[in-house]
Amino acid sequence: MGLITATIRKTQLNNYRLDLEYKMMLISSSKLNLSQTVNDLLSVASDLDADSPEAKALEKRKERLYLVEKKLDEQMQRFETQLKMVEAEMQSCNQMIDKNIQYSFGGGR
């Protein structure tokens, strides 16, 4: 891989890394909002009779929110895995760039 190609690849990988980090930040923010919603539901449900239809509806909603949280956790894990792969590829590009620079300025030795 040439110096220009490695530099372009590194730029693309950096953009992808930034995109993944942004998505991970959005997931974290969504999880915080989700946790607050669950806490609000629990607060409201504590004032209701456990056998009332409203309490049962709130319990079902809470369960659905936990499922959403689980899906967000799975998505976060996928993004973390992808981020590790991107960082490894960026290290490889950095090594290629260093080798190309040494070859160019070292007279091809």
Side-chain angles (χ1 to χ4, degrees), residues 5-65:
T5 306
T7 304
I8 291 170
R9 178 71 178 142
K10 183 179 173 186
T11 302
Q12 290 173 332
L13 289 168
N14 191 49
N15 289 336
Y16 188 51
R17 179 185 60 84
L18 292 173
D19 185 53
L20 287 171
E21 288 174 350
Y22 176 71
K23 288 177 181 177
M24 291 168 67
M25 182 185 69
L26 291 177
I27 289 173
S28 295
S29 176
S30 296
K31 283 187 64 175
L32 286 174
N33 290 334
L34 192 63
S35 294
Q36 181 60 43
T37 302
V38 168
N39 288 337
D40 292 344
L41 285 176
L42 292 175
S43 175
V44 170
S46 68
D47 295 337
L48 299 173
D49 180 31
D51 294 330
S52 71
E54 294 87 5
K56 290 178 183 179
L58 288 175
E59 183 63 31
K60 286 182 182 180
R61 185 163 196 174
K62 183 181 79 166
E63 289 172 11
R64 280 188 248 132
L65 291 174

Side-chain angles (χ1 to χ4, degrees), residues 41-100:
L41 285 176
L42 292 175
S43 175
V44 170
S46 68
D47 295 337
L48 299 173
D49 180 31
D51 294 330
S52 71
E54 294 87 5
K56 290 178 183 179
L58 288 175
E59 183 63 31
K60 286 182 182 180
R61 185 163 196 174
K62 183 181 79 166
E63 289 172 11
R64 280 188 248 132
L65 291 174
Y66 281 135
L67 287 175
V68 170
E69 184 178 28
K70 184 178 177 182
K71 288 182 181 184
L72 287 173
D73 286 337
E74 290 170 359
Q75 194 172 26
M76 179 71 94
Q77 287 177 342
R78 279 194 307 274
F79 289 153
E80 287 172 350
T81 301
Q82 290 174 352
L83 185 60
K84 287 177 185 176
M85 291 169 51
V86 166
E87 289 171 350
E89 182 69 22
M90 285 182 74
Q91 286 179 347
S92 175
C93 283
N94 285 335
Q95 290 173 354
M96 261 317 169
I97 290 170
D98 291 344
K99 286 179 184 177
N100 278 300

